[in-house]
C-alpha cells in the first residue's frame, strides 16, 4: 500500500491523540505536525496543577523521544498560515511548504473576550495555555486580590488556581443566576456557592461587567447595576470560540456561530480535510470536553485508513473536584415533570446535594446531579448509559453506603461487557477485565499502561479500580489494597515509612513516597497518619489544605452552614463556674445548647467568624477542644461510681477523667468513644464503646471493639480483673495496634470483624504480647500523650491560623447571609431540609 502523508494543524491534546491513533493503526504513514506553541503537547485538563507540579515534564502527554521513535515530524512554534487546497500544500509561518494527502485541523479553541472597556489593561489575563499561566503566576506574586470572570467549569478551575497561588482574596463573577449553569441546578449551585465561600472564594452572581477600572493597571471592576469591586488581577474565562480562522480563510464551510462544519466521519466540505476537537462543528454542536475530542480523533483516523465509523454524539457527563468539593452531573441533569420523576436529597449538615431523575414508570435512571459527595458517580453514569433497570427503591442510590456496597459486586456484575468505562480512550468493561485476566494487570496503573483507561481526565479511575478488584476476586486472587494512584502502598505500609523517614508534612510524604500531585483520597489520609504519629497541630506545616473539611476549621459544619462548638468535659464532670461560662458564651453568641449522650454540652449555630472569639473565652475558662470534628477520641462517658452511688465498686469518674486526659486528641482511622462504669449495672454503657471499662470487685474488666450507630455491636471482653495501670497499658497497645493496621474510616468493631482470628488473636497481641510490640506501642503512646496541645488554643494564639476563620476574605467582618434559622422551644434551630420525592 502506498505511503500517505498526513499534516496535522495543532498539537493540543486532540492533535496529539490522532497522532497516537494513526501510528497505532498503520506504519505506512508520514505524519507532520505544526504546533503554534513552543512546547510539545501537554495535559490541559489538569492545567491548574501546573502551579503545584515540580516539573513541566509531569504534564507532557508523551516523552520528547516519542516523535522520533514513531516517525512523527513536529514543528514547534510554527503554525500553518495558509493552505492551497488545489495543490494540497500547507504554508507555515516560518515559510515551510509541505504537501499532504490528508489535512487534519486540530486547532482547538480560543478564549472568548467580551468587548468590555479596559480589557487591555495590565493585570487582565486569559486562562488557556501554559504561557497564560506563567504570566498569571508572575503577576499574582505582586498582588493580593484576584477575580475570575466566568463561573463555569474552566472559570472555577481558574479560581482554584488563584487560591493555590496564595491570593488573599479571590472572587468569581458570573452573569447567570447560578454557578456552572450548564451542569447543575439552582439548589446545587447554592450549596456549591456556600461551600466555596467557606473555603475563601466569593461568588458574585447575576453580574454584568460594564468596565474595568484603573489607568494603565487594573484596580477594580464596575458592573451594570452600579456596584463595583476592587481587584488587582482578572482572569477572563467567559467561554470559548473555535479556532476556525484558517479554515474560513481557505474557504471551508463554517457554522453560523463559528466552527468548522464536519460530517459524522469528521470530514469538512473538502473530503481531504478533516477537523476534530473544539474547532469542529458536528451536528450543530461544539464539544468543549476532551473525551469527545478523543472520539473524533479515533473516527477521523479510521476513516483516513479506509474504515467506516461515525460520530453519533457524545455524553457530556462530567465529574470534577473544585477546591476539595465534589461536583458531578450525568445523563440529563435537568429533565423534570412531566417527563421524569425527581428524587432529591439535600443535607446541609454535611454539605451534600443529590438529584436523581427517574423515568415516569420508575424503571430507568435518566440523569442527575451530585454535589459534596460523588463516590457513586461512575456507577450511576453506567446505569444511565446502559439503561440498567432500577431496583424497587431508587432513593437508596442517594445513600453512598448503599451504593458503594453494590458497586463492587452486584452493580459491576450487572454491567454489560460493552459498557464504556473510559470515555476518553474508548475502553469498555470487557477490555479492562481482559487486561486483568490475560494481561496480568493487578492494579489501576497496570490497566492504564495496558489499555490507557484512566489516562485522560481520570474520572473513570475509581471504577477501573473496582473492576480490577472485582475481576481478581472472581479469579480467587489476593488483593493488595493501595491508597490511590499516587501511593502504591497500603495505609499500614505508608504509616511505617512515614515514621521511618520522619516525614512531617503532606508535601514531604508525597515527594518522598508518592508521585503526581495527590488527590482528595490520599490528602486527608496522610494528614491523619501525620497526626497519629507526631501529634502536631494539624493546620501547621502546610497540612491545612490536605485536611477533611471539618478539620480545616476545627469544627463540624452543621446544617444551614453554621458550625458547632464542643468543649471537652472529661468524664462528664464540670464545675458550676465552667457551667456558667458555657451559658454566658451561648447567650453572647446566640447558640443552641444541648447536653449530649456523651456527657458534654454542644453549642450549635456558630458563625465561622465567631469561632476564634468563642474559643478564646472558653479556653480562658479552662476548657479544651472536644475534637468532635476529628477522627479522634470523642468522649469517655462515666457513671458517678463509688463517689456517690451505693452500688459503685470503684471511682469511675476519676478513672474516666484519667483515661480521657490521656488519650485526648489522639488521631485514628475513625472516631473513638469510651466509657467507664462503676459496677456491672453498666450505667455508662461501656460495652457499646470502642473500648469500655467496668469495675469489678478485683479491679476492672476491659472490653473492646463495640459501637452504637446504624450497625450496633457489643464490645468483647479483652481482659478481666486487672488493675488501673495494667488496664491503661493494654489500652495503649490496643489503640496503637488499631491505628497502625486499620483501613481508613474503619471503626474498631469493623476492624475486629475483618481480623483473622478475631478477639482471640487480638487478645494474644495485646495481652500476651505475641508480636513483641507491646513496649514499643506503650512508648509510642507516651510520646503522643506528652506532646499533646489543644488545637483551638494554638489556633486562637496564631494570627495566621485565625485568618482562615472568615466567610468572605474581602469582607472578614461580614457573616454568611444565606444562613437561616427558625425558633423552637425558646432556642434557635437551622431551617428545615427534607428528602423530597416528586
Amino acid at each position: 500500500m502506498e505511503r500517505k502523508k498526513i499534516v496535522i494543524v495543532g498539537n493540543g491534546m486532540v492533535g496529539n491523540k490522532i497522532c497516537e491513533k494513526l501510528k497505532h493503526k498503520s506504519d505506512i504513514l508520514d505524519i507532520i505536525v505544526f504546533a503554534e506553541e513552543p512546547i510539545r503537547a501537554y495535559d490541559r485538563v489538569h492545567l491548574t496543577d501546573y502551579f503545584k507540579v515540580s516539573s513541566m515534564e509531569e504534564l507532557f502527554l508523551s516523552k520528547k523521544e516519542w516523535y522520533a521513535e514513531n516517525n512523527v515530524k513536529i514543528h514547534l512554534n510554527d503554525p500553518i498560515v495558509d493552505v492551497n487546497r488545489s495543490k494540497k500544500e500547507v504554508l507555515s509561518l516560518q515559510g515551510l511548504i509541505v504537501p499532504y494527502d490528508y489535512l487534519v485541523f486540530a486547532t482547538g479553541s480560543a478564549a472568548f473576550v467580551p468587548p468590555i472597556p479596559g480589557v487591555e489593561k495590565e493585570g487582565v489575563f486569559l486562562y488557556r495555555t501554559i504561557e497564560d499561566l506563567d504570566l498569571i503566576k508572575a503577576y499574582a506574586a505582586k498582588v493580593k486580590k484576584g477575580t475570575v470572570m466566568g463561573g463555569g467549569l474552566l472559570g472555577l478551575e481558574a479560581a482554584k488556581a488563584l487560591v493555590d497561588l496564595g491570593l488573599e482574596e479571590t472572587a468569581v463573577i458570573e452573569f447567570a443566576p447560578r454557578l456552572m449553569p450548564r451542569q447543575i441546578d439552582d439548589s446545587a449551585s447554592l450549596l456549591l456557592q456556600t461551600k466555596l465561600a467557606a473555603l475563601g472564594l466569593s461568588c458574585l452572581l447575576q453580574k454584568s461587567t460594564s468596565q474595568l477600572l484603573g489607568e494603565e493597571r487594573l484596580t477594580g471592576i464596575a458592573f451594570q447595576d452600579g456596584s463595583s469591586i476592587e481587584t488587582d488581577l482578572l482572569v477572563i474565562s467567559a467561554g470559548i470560540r473555535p479556532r476556525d480562522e484558517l479554515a474560513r480563510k481557505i474557504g471551508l464551510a463554517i457554522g453560523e456561530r463559528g466552527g468548522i462544519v464536519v460530517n459524522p466521519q469528521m470530514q469538512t466540505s473538502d473530503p481531504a480535510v478533516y477537523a476534530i476537537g473544539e474547532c469542529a462543528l458536528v451536528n450543530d454542536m461544539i464539544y468543549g470536553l476532551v473525551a469527545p475530542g478523543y472520539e473524533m480523533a479515533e473516527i477521523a483516523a479510521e476513516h483516513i485508513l479506509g474504515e467506516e465509523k461515525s460520530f453519533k454524539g457524545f455524553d457530556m457527563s462530567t465529574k470534577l473536584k473544585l477546591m476539595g468539593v465534589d461536583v458531578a452531573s450525568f445523563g440529563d441533569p435537568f429533565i423534570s415533570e412531566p417527563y421524569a420523576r425527581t428524587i432529591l436529597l439535600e443535607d446541609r449538615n454535611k454539605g451534600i446535594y443529590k438529584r436523581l431523575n427517574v423515568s415516569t414508570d420508575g424503571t430507568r435512571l435518566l440523569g442527575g446531579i451530585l454535589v459534596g459527595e460523588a463516590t457513586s458517580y461512575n456507577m450511576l453514569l453506567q446505569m444511565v448509559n446502559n439503561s440498567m433497570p432500577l431496583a424497587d427503591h431508587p432513593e437508596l442510590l442517594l445513600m453512598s453506603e448503599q451504593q458503594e456496597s453494590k458497586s463492587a459486586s452486584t452493580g459491576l456484575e450487572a454491567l454489560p461487557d460493552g459498557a464504556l468505562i473510559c470515555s476518553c480512550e474508548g475502553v469498555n468493561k470487557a477490555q479492562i477485565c481482559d487486561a486483568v485476566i490475560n494481561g496480568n494487570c493487578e492494579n489501576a496503573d497496570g490497566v492504564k499502561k495496558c489499555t490507557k483507561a484512566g489516562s485522560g481526565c481520570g474520572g473513570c479511575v475509581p471504577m477501573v479500580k473496582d473492576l480490577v478488584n472485582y475481576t481478581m476476586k472472581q479469579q480467587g486472587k489476593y488483593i493488595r489494597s493501595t491508597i490511590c494512584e499516587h501511593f502504591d502502598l497500603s495505609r499500614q505500609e505508608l504509616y511505617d515509612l512515614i515514621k521511618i523517614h520522619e516525614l512531617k508534612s503532606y508535601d514531604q510524604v508525597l515527594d518522598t513516597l508518592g508521585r503526581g500531585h495527590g488527590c482528595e483520597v490520599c490528602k486527608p489520609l496522610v494528614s491523619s497518619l501525620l497526626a497519629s504519629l507526631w501529634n502536631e497541630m494539624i493546620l501547621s506545616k502546610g497540612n491545612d489544605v490536605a485536611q477533611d473539611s471539618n478539620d480545616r476549621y476545627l469544627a463540624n459544619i452543621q446544617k444551614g452552614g453554621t458550625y458547632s462548638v464542643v468543649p471537652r468535659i472529661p468524664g462528664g464532670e464540670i464545675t458550676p463556674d465552667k457551667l456558667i461560662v458555657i451559658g454566658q458564651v451561648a447567650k453572647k453568641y446566640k447558640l443552641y445548647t444541648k447536653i449530649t449522650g456523651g456527657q458534654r454540652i454542644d453549642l450549635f449555630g456558630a458563625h465561622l467568624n465567631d469561632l476564634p472569639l468563642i474559643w478564646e473565652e472558653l479556653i480562658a475558662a479552662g476548657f479544651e477542644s472536644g475534637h468532635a470534628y476529628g477522627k479522634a477520641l470523642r468522649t469517655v462517658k462515666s457513671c458517678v461510681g463509688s463517689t456517690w452511688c451505693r452500688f459503685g465498686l470503684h471511682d469511675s469518674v476519676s478513672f474516666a477523667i484519667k483515661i480521657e486526659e490521656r488519650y485526648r486528641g489522639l488521631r485514628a482511622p475513625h472516631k473513638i468513644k469510651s466509657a467507664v462504669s462503676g459496677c456491672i449495672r453498666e450505667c455508662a454503657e461501656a460495652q457499646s464503646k470502642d473500648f469500655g471499662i467496668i469495675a469489678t470487685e478485683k479491679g476492672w474488666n476491659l472490653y473492646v471493639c463495640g459501637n452504637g450507630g446504624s450497625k450496633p455491636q457489643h464490645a468483647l471482653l479483652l481482659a478481666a480483673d486487672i488493675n488501673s495501670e495494667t488496664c491503661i497499658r493494654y489500652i495503649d497497645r490496643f489503640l496503637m495496634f488499631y491505628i497502625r493496621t486499620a483501613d481508613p474510616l474503619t471503626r474498631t468493631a469493623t476492624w475486629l470483624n475483618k481480623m483473622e482470628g478475631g478477639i482471640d488473636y487480638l487478645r494474644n497481641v495485646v495481652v500476651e504480647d505475641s508480636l513483641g510490640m507491646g513496649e514499643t506501642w506503650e512508648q509510642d503512646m507516651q510520646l503522643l500523650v506528652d506532646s499533646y496541645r489543644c488545637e483551638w488554643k494554638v489556633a486562637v494564639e496564631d494570627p495566621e491560623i485565625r485568618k482562615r476563620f472568615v466567610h468572605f476574605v474581602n469582607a472578614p467582618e461580614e457573616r454568611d447571609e444565606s444562613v437561616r434559622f427558625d425558633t423552637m422551644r425558646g432556642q434557635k434551630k437551622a431551617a428545615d431540609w427534607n428528602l423530597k420525592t416528586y
Side-chain angles (χ1 to χ4, degrees):
M1 185 176 177
E2 184 181 351
R3 294 188 71 85
K4 297 291 185 182
K5 184 169 286 189
I6 300 171
V7 172
I8 299 172
V9 186
N11 189 41
M13 296 183 73
V14 176
N16 181 77
K17 181 56 63 178
I18 195 170
C19 288
E20 291 182 1
K21 297 288 186 183
L22 289 168
K23 296 306 297 184
H24 179 70
K25 296 174 184 295
S26 174
D27 57 1
I28 56 169
L29 300 174
D30 293 324
I31 300 175
I32 304 97
V33 181
F34 286 88
E36 187 174 48
E37 290 189 72
I39 56 177
R40 64 187 188 276
Y42 54 88
D43 184 353
R44 295 177 191 268
V45 173
H46 299 102
L47 198 60
T48 305
D49 291 337
Y50 177 61
F51 295 125
K52 298 182 291 183
V53 298
S54 57
S55 169
M56 180 63 200
E57 290 293 326
E58 296 181 35
L59 290 182
F60 283 130
L61 296 176
S62 58
K63 294 182 179 180
K64 188 176 182 180
E65 302 79 33
W66 181 88
Y67 297 93
E69 291 171 354
N70 289 274
N71 194 30
V72 175
K73 179 68 174 176
I74 183 167
H75 298 279
L76 298 175
N77 207 21
D78 191 16
I80 297 298
V81 295
D82 205 358
V83 179
N84 188 325
R85 290 199 285 136
S86 60
K87 290 185 178 182
K88 287 191 171 182
E89 292 178 343
V90 298
L91 171 65
S92 78
L93 180 64
Q94 296 183 17
L96 293 176
I97 298 176
V98 178
Y100 65 84
D101 293 299
Y102 297 102
L103 178 64
V104 180
F105 277 85
T107 48
S109 63
F112 168 67
V113 181
I116 301 169
V119 292
E120 74 287 346
K121 295 184 189 299
E122 180 183 346
V124 180
F125 302 91
L126 302 179
Y127 191 82
R128 297 292 293 172
T129 67
I130 288 291
E131 184 180 6
D132 292 333
L133 267 63
D134 281 331
L135 293 171
I136 293 171
K137 186 176 183 179
Y139 200 82
K142 303 179 291 184
V143 299
K144 294 183 177 180
K145 299 179 181 180
T147 305
V148 176
M149 183 181 294
L153 285 170
L154 191 61
L156 293 176
E157 283 288 336
K160 179 182 184 298
L162 296 186
V163 172
D164 288 342
L165 285 171
L167 270 69
E168 295 178 3
E169 300 179 23
T170 303
V172 172
I173 303 167
E174 171 56 47
F175 179 75
R178 66 175 185 264
L179 297 174
M180 297 178 65
R182 296 186 179 183
Q183 287 82 25
I184 60 178
D185 60 19
D186 289 339
S187 297
S189 176
L190 179 61
L191 179 62
L192 175 61
Q193 183 182 348
T194 301
K195 290 178 78 74
L196 294 180
L199 297 172
L201 185 66
S202 302
C203 302
L204 308 176
L205 305 180
Q206 291 183 289
K207 290 290 187 181
S208 177
T209 303
S210 60
Q211 71 175 105
L212 304 184
L213 306 175
E215 296 297 329
E216 296 182 357
R217 174 180 291 188
L218 177 72
T219 60
I221 302 173
F223 303 111
Q224 296 284 4
D225 61 8
S227 63
S228 64
I229 62 170
E230 294 181 1
T231 191
D232 306 311
L233 183 156
L234 173 65
V235 176
I236 296 177
S237 180
I240 60 172
R241 281 184 170 175
R243 291 287 303 274
D244 57 15
E245 58 270 22
L246 178 59
R248 190 186 300 269
K249 174 182 176 181
I250 65 174
L252 296 179
I254 303 297
E256 184 177 343
R257 295 186 177 181
I260 307 169
V261 177
V262 295
N263 64 16
Q265 288 73 44
M266 301 295 110
Q267 287 175 297
T268 68
S269 52
D270 182 336
V273 182
Y274 294 75
I276 57 176
E278 293 178 344
C279 67
L281 181 69
V282 55
N283 299 326
D284 293 322
M285 184 170 179
I286 298 289
Y287 288 86
L289 298 177
V290 68
Y294 281 3
E295 176 72 3
M296 294 179 199
E298 168 75 17
I299 291 169
E302 291 209 357
H303 196 260
I304 287 171
L305 295 171
E307 301 292 332
E308 280 297 327
K309 189 176 181 181
S310 299
F311 188 83
K312 300 175 181 178
F314 207 87
D315 176 35
M316 296 297 283
S317 301
T318 186
K319 174 179 177 287
L320 68 158
K321 193 174 286 282
L322 298 165
M323 299 173 68
V325 181
D326 280 328
V327 182
S329 65
F330 55 94
D332 189 336
F334 302 120
I335 189 171
S336 56
E337 293 281 3
Y339 308 105
R341 296 174 182 171
T342 301
I343 303 173
L344 296 178
L345 169 64
E346 186 174 5
D347 184 347
R348 294 190 180 182
N349 175 38
K350 294 183 178 179
I352 293 172
Y353 174 86
K354 298 183 180 183
R355 168 177 172 166
L356 296 183
N357 302 322
V358 178
S359 61
T360 53
D361 61 3
T363 63
R364 292 290 184 273
L365 182 63
L366 304 179
I369 297 169
L370 306 170
V371 174
E373 197 279 318
T375 54
S376 57
Y377 165 77
N378 282 303
M379 198 64 213
L380 294 174
L381 176 60
Q382 292 298 331
M383 293 180 72
V384 172
N385 291 345
N386 295 285
S387 297
M388 294 169 66
L390 282 175
D392 293 336
H393 297 282
E395 66 274 11
L396 293 179
L397 294 172
L398 295 174
M399 310 302 175
S400 57
E401 183 177 340
Q402 294 285 338
Q403 182 60 24
E404 286 170 12
S405 65
K406 292 183 178 182
S407 66
S409 53
T410 310
L412 293 179
E413 188 175 355
L415 276 180
D417 286 344
L420 189 64
I421 305 300
C422 177
S423 57
C424 291
E425 295 292 340
V427 183
N428 61 31
K429 174 188 174 183
Q431 291 170 299
I432 292 172
C433 294
D434 181 69
V436 177
I437 297 169
N438 299 315
N440 295 319
C441 300
E442 297 191 347
N443 54 44
D445 282 342
V447 171
K448 183 187 293 186
K449 292 174 183 176
C450 185
T451 67
K452 304 205 80 172
S455 61
C457 69
C460 65
V461 170
M463 178 154 277
V464 172
K465 287 183 177 179
D466 285 345
L467 273 172
V468 170
N469 291 342
Y470 165 76
T471 308
M472 289 178 66
K473 284 181 180 178
Q474 295 292 98
Q475 294 183 287
K477 289 186 176 180
Y478 168 73
I479 298 173
R480 182 168 174 264
S481 180
T482 57
I483 292 169
C484 67
E485 61 267 31
H486 304 108
F487 290 94
D488 191 24
L489 299 163
S490 68
R491 180 189 179 277
Q492 185 175 349
E493 291 167 339
L494 189 58
Y495 178 100
D496 291 333
L497 289 171
I498 291 173
K499 185 175 183 180
I500 290 168
H501 293 286
E502 296 187 1
L503 306 175
K504 297 296 181 72
S505 72
Y506 173 78
D507 288 340
Q508 285 181 344
V509 175
L510 185 64
D511 292 342
T512 306
L513 306 174
R515 59 182 177 272
H517 323 310
C519 65
E520 301 307 317
V521 173
C522 61
K523 287 180 179 179
L525 186 150
V526 170
S527 299
S528 174
L529 292 180
L530 292 170
S532 295
L533 275 166
W534 313 122
N535 209 15
E536 295 180 338
M537 172 59 174
I538 61 171
L539 301 183
S540 65
K541 297 188 177 180
N543 292 323
D544 51 344
V545 295
Q547 303 290 340
D548 280 321
S549 54
N550 286 335
D551 283 311
R552 293 183 188 188
Y553 296 101
L554 305 180
N556 284 329
I557 302 174
Q558 299 293 343
K559 178 180 174 182
T562 58
Y563 296 78
S564 61
V565 174
V566 186
R568 185 172 298 284
I569 302 177
E573 182 181 85
I574 187 170
T575 65
D577 286 340
K578 283 189 173 182
L579 275 174
I580 290 170
V581 170
I582 287 180
Q584 290 172 336
V585 168
K587 288 182 69 175
K588 181 176 180 179
Y589 295 97
K590 301 177 181 176
L591 305 177
Y592 169 88
T593 55
K594 171 81 169 63
I595 297 175
T596 73
Q599 296 181 336
R600 59 187 182 186
I601 300 173
D602 289 7
L603 311 174
F604 294 89
H607 288 268
L608 182 63
N609 316 51
D610 292 336
L611 288 176
L613 302 173
I614 292 170
W615 275 106
E616 211 162 27
E617 295 190 33
L618 291 174
I619 288 167
F623 287 103
E624 294 180 338
S625 170
H627 289 90
Y629 48 82
K631 304 296 185 290
L633 178 74
R634 296 294 177 84
T635 62
V636 180
K637 187 176 180 180
S638 77
C639 64
V640 295
S642 60
T643 308
W644 294 97
C645 178
R646 61 195 175 96
F647 299 110
L649 298 174
H650 302 307
D651 184 356
S652 56
V653 178
S654 295
F655 200 38
I657 292 172
K658 185 174 183 178
I659 294 292
E660 185 158 350
E661 290 183 341
R662 179 170 182 79
Y663 302 115
R664 59 190 172 184
L666 179 69
R667 297 280 170 160
H670 210 298
K671 64 184 176 184
I672 302 170
K673 295 184 178 181
S674 180
V676 181
S677 286
C679 72
I680 197 60
R681 288 169 178 79
E682 252 281 70
C683 294
E685 301 166 332
Q687 291 177 82
S688 65
K689 308 303 183 193
D690 294 280
F691 66 96
I693 304 164
I694 302 176
T696 70
E697 291 183 356
K698 298 179 181 179
W700 304 98
N701 281 355
L702 175 60
Y703 293 81
V704 295
C705 300
N707 64 244
S710 60
K711 296 178 181 178
Q713 181 169 317
H714 263 89
L716 301 177
L717 181 65
L718 184 71
D721 297 328
I722 53 179
N723 61 34
S724 300
E725 292 73 21
T726 303
C727 184
I728 289 175
R729 191 165 69 251
Y730 288 169
I731 296 170
D732 284 354
R733 297 178 183 182
F734 163 72
L735 289 175
M736 293 307 301
F737 186 36
Y738 165 63
I739 289 170
R740 289 196 61 167
T741 61
D743 289 330
L745 302 180
T746 301
R747 287 292 295 269
T748 56
T750 306
W751 171 65
L752 179 62
N753 293 342
K754 294 180 179 180
M755 186 182 295
E756 189 173 345
I759 188 64
D760 292 330
Y761 175 73
L762 182 60
R763 188 179 293 111
N764 279 334
V765 171
V766 173
V767 179
E768 304 301 332
D769 196 17
S770 60
L771 299 180
M773 291 294 296
E775 186 177 350
T776 299
W777 288 338
E778 292 165 27
Q779 291 171 355
D780 289 346
M781 181 62 76
Q782 193 59 49
L783 287 174
L784 295 177
V785 172
D786 293 340
S787 62
Y788 167 77
R789 294 176 70 196
C790 171
E791 289 169 349
W792 263 113
K793 188 174 190 301
V794 176
V796 298
E797 292 175 353
D798 188 327
E800 289 302 313
I801 294 179
R802 286 188 74 140
K803 285 181 181 178
R804 67 187 300 110
F805 295 97
V806 294
H807 281 293
F808 309 106
V809 291
N810 58 340
E813 302 302 321
E814 292 187 16
R815 295 179 173 182
D816 185 357
E817 294 181 356
S818 66
V819 174
R820 295 176 293 118
F821 297 106
D822 293 332
T823 301
M824 180 179 67
R825 292 186 294 276
Q827 294 202 75
K828 72 177 183 183
K829 76 176 190 71
D832 279 334
W833 60 272
N834 292 291
L835 176 67
K836 305 171 186 176
T837 303
Y838 297 104

